[in-house]
Each structure stands twice: as C-alpha cells, then as structure tokens.
Amino acid sequence: MPGKDVFVTFPELQIDKPAAAARIVVAMSGGVDSSVAAMIAARSGAEVIGVTLQLYDHGEAAKRSGACCAGQDIYDAAQVCEKLGIAHYVLDYESRFREGVIERFADDYARGRTPVPCSLCNQGVKFTDLHAFARELQADALVTGHYVRRVVRNGKAELHKGRDPARDQSYFLYGTTPEQLDLLRFPIGELPKAEVRRQAAEGGLIVAAKPDSQDICFVPDGDYAGLVKRMRPETEAPGEIVDLGGKVVGSHRGIVHFTVGQRRGLEIGGSPEPLYVVRIEPDERRLVVGPKQALAVSEATVGAWNWLGEEQTEVEVKVRSLSRPVPARLEGGVIRFHQPEYGVAPGQAAVAYEGDRLLGGGWIEHTRSAIDAVATAA
C-alpha cells in the first residue's frame, strides 16, 4: 500500500492527490469492464467503494447471462469487490429505472419513435444519481467501465471516443454535463476489449470470460415487442399500410413490431421494388411505406440539446451508435446534413463530434425527407 505522501500516479485516474487521502467510487454492473475499472482503481492505493445499482428484477432476466444490474450480476460485483478487498454497496433504484427508462421506452414505441434506452439510463440513474451519491461520499472520482476517454486540455475536461472504435460508447454519453465530467473517470477507455479480458484473467476476477451485457438489458428474453405490448397494449392493434400517396397496400399486426427503416415483416406483394417503413402514424395505427430513397433525410429537428463542449455550427453528427459521423450544420436546434442521411428517425439521439471529441447531442423530434426538400426547392 503506498505511503500517505505518495500520489495516485495511475494516468487513467487523473487524480492529483496523495493515494491514502483519495476516495474513489466505482459504478459496478457485474460485468468485466466495470470490474477491471475497479481493479485499476484499487491498485492505485486509494480508498475504493464499489456501488451496484439494482435496476430491475424481471424473474428469469435477473439470472440471465448477458444482463446487467440484477440478480447474478449483483452477486458477481460483490465477488469482485471481495477479491479486490474493497467495500461494496447495492442501491435499490428499481422504481427510478422503471419510470425513467422502461416507461419511456414503452412510450416511445407507442408514439412510433425509435428509443435509445442506454442513453436514457446514463442520463438518469447511472450518471445523475450516482454522481450525487459520489458527491455525498466526498469522493474524488466516480469511475465507470465505459469505453470513452476523459481528456484534460487547458484545464478543462473533454469527453473523447474510446480508443478502440469497435467498442466506443461515447454516443450513449452525450447527455453528460461538465459538472459530471469533472468527477467521472474512464480507466479502460484506452484499451481494446481483449486487453480488458486479459487483465481480468490475470487479476483472477471471476467475470473475465463473462459475456457482454445486451443493449436492452431489461428485456427478459430479448422480445422487446412483448414487453411493450404488456405495458402499452394499444400498440398491438392492427392497422393499414399505405404508400407515400396514401394508397392502402396492405395491413399490419401492430405498430409495436415496426420501426422506421424496417423492411422485415411488411409482407406486401406486387411491388416492383423493396418497400420500407418511412413513417409511423400511431394515432391512425398506420404505417407509411416507400422505396429506400424515401428514407433519405435532409434535416432533423433536435430537442433537449446538451452541449458538453463549445457550441459550434459546423459539426460531424452520428444518428446511430454504430454509424459513422457525417458532416452537418447545426443551427437553432435543426441539423442540416451536407448529404442526405439514412437511418434517421424520431426518438434516436443525434450526437455531434469534432474529430474524436464529443461536443453534445439531443433527441431527434422530427425529420424532413430529402425528397420533400428537393420538391420544395423546385
């Protein structure tokens, strides 16, 4: 154990304080990523406190491999903390998670939107509430296992993409505030997944080979439509499928089974080209379909925008976690893409970057078809 005059020198932790005087809170989901983050924090010699949020307990979901923040995962987090010799606490946030994430998820589907529950979770219980908890404990840092990097430039903390592009999670963290980033640390952001697992195995952690959690962790069997139907039964009411001109071309078995851009499950015959869901009109229980080019979007209106970096007009924007950023102009809450962009739908997050640096983001409220924009200009 370092002496009281020894500073925490682990560059991943960015704490300029004697090790014996530093206190670190680690958010532990029970997976390998947060466990290795906790191991790095523990090896610094600081006082480390592991915290796991119990977010849901849906029967078999609590036992299911690949979930997070429930049953087996809480047990795994406790075992890792025991191995590391650090304290471990479990906080019951199930009601907050249900109201802020699960209910919102179901509402978005009922409104014909494409939800991003991971962003909701990070903006709510995982960052907002954990940040408050860490402050109450007078912690010097709140450590998580996200694949992102905290870079300090000119005395100001910035949020950057994870070094491994295949694992980067910055898209889901656009709602992070400057105050939260001052406390947050991401010790595995420079590492590829294989190295994280190697370090876990080398450290004797029981989660070294544990499967990764799923994107929608609170869905017991991966059947999100089943969950939404139970919570919002009106979403399984059948309705019409119409083309862009309003002509009825088929019927569907409930809007819950569809999102914008989807082709599978439409079962429309007689069309000379593949048709996709272009728009969902939940009040009329109607799907509007069209050819692929009808999915091209020229601009999107974004609400609840959060700037983490300086406000900018010319940016690069991602509208899906796995898409590449594309050039766009951002003015007055409207994103105008330099070239028509596909895969843009209400309910998704639009996240702005400057190179690897995350500038901010918000929720897509409305989109404008590139075809409509051309017709208006003509």
Side-chain angles (χ1 to χ4, degrees), residues 9 11-12 36 80 83 97 148 198 204-205 251-252 271 303 328 330 350 355:
T9 57
E12 305 95 331
V36 170
V80 169
K83 173 72 175 179
F97 184 72
V148 292
R198 187 196 70 78
L205 304 185
S251 62
H252 65 81
S271 174
L330 175 60

Side-chain angles (χ1 to χ4, degrees), residues 34 40 42 50 52 76-77 83 94 153 171 207 216 227 231 236 258 263 272 305 322-323 330 349 369 377:
S34 60
I40 292 171
T52 301
D76 290 343
K83 173 72 175 179
E94 186 171 348
R153 241 183 341 204
Y171 175 83
V207 295
I216 306 178
L227 173 68
M231 299 181 68
E236 61 177 333
F258 300 92
R263 178 186 174 193
W305 188 271
L322 298 180
S323 67
L330 175 60
S369 166

Side-chain angles (χ1 to χ4, degrees), residues 9 50 55 83 104 115 210 214 299 315:
T9 57
L55 300 181
K83 173 72 175 179
R104 170 74 178 270
K210 186 175 181 177
Q214 304 300 311
E299 62 184 56
V315 296

Side-chain angles (χ1 to χ4, degrees), residues 132-144:
F133 180 77
R135 286 295 190 198
E136 287 178 8
L137 293 182
Q138 298 182 322
D140 298 288
L142 171 59
V143 166
T144 81

Side-chain angles (χ1 to χ4, degrees), residues 5 48 122 131 148 164-165 168 177 201 310 312 330 341 357:
D5 59 339
V48 178
N122 287 320
H131 178 268
V148 292
D164 182 352
D168 169 51
T177 66
E310 301 81 12
Q312 297 189 30
L330 175 60
E341 179 69 1
R357 182 188 179 194

Side-chain angles (χ1 to χ4, degrees), residues 4-192:
K4 63 180 181 180
D5 59 339
V6 177
F7 278 67
V8 176
T9 57
F10 281 57
E12 305 95 331
L13 299 177
Q14 302 173 332
I15 302 175
D16 186 20
K17 190 173 187 178
R23 174 177 292 167
I24 299 173
V25 171
V26 184
M28 301 187 67
S29 66
V32 64
D33 299 327
S34 60
S35 296
V36 170
M39 184 172 67
I40 292 171
R43 288 177 176 175
S44 71
E47 176 191 4
V48 178
I49 301 170
V51 177
T52 301
L53 303 180
Q54 180 175 325
L55 300 181
Y56 61 94
D57 188 7
H58 293 171
E60 289 303 312
K63 306 173 185 177
R64 177 171 62 94
S65 175
C68 75
C69 306
Q72 182 64 42
D73 309 289
I74 295 174
Y75 174 81
D76 290 343
Q79 291 298 298
V80 169
C81 287
E82 183 176 347
K83 173 72 175 179
L84 298 176
I86 64 176
H88 179 246
Y89 297 95
V90 179
L91 305 181
D92 184 357
Y93 275 54
E94 186 171 348
S95 60
R96 290 269 288 123
F97 184 72
R98 181 177 181 83
E99 294 170 6
V101 179
I102 301 179
E103 294 281 354
R104 170 74 178 270
F105 177 82
D107 284 342
D108 276 351
Y109 266 102
R111 296 168 59 196
R113 296 162 65 89
T114 304
V116 187
C118 292
S119 293
L120 286 173
C121 185
N122 287 320
Q123 291 178 35
V125 293
K126 281 192 176 176
F127 275 15
T128 302
D129 295 337
L130 265 180
H131 178 268
F133 180 77
R135 286 295 190 198
E136 287 178 8
L137 293 182
Q138 298 182 322
D140 298 288
L142 171 59
V143 166
T144 81
H146 287 98
Y147 286 90
V148 292
R149 294 177 295 136
R150 180 182 183 272
V151 177
V152 179
R153 241 183 341 204
N154 300 322
K156 182 179 179 180
E158 301 174 350
L159 189 61
H160 287 238
K161 296 177 183 177
R163 187 68 70 186
D164 182 352
R167 290 289 173 177
D168 169 51
Q169 294 174 300
S170 60
Y171 175 83
F172 300 109
L173 303 185
Y174 79 84
T176 305
T177 66
E179 181 185 10
Q180 291 168 350
L181 192 57
D182 284 343
L183 192 66
L184 285 162
R185 302 292 188 275
F186 311 101
I188 67 168
E190 295 281 354
L191 306 178

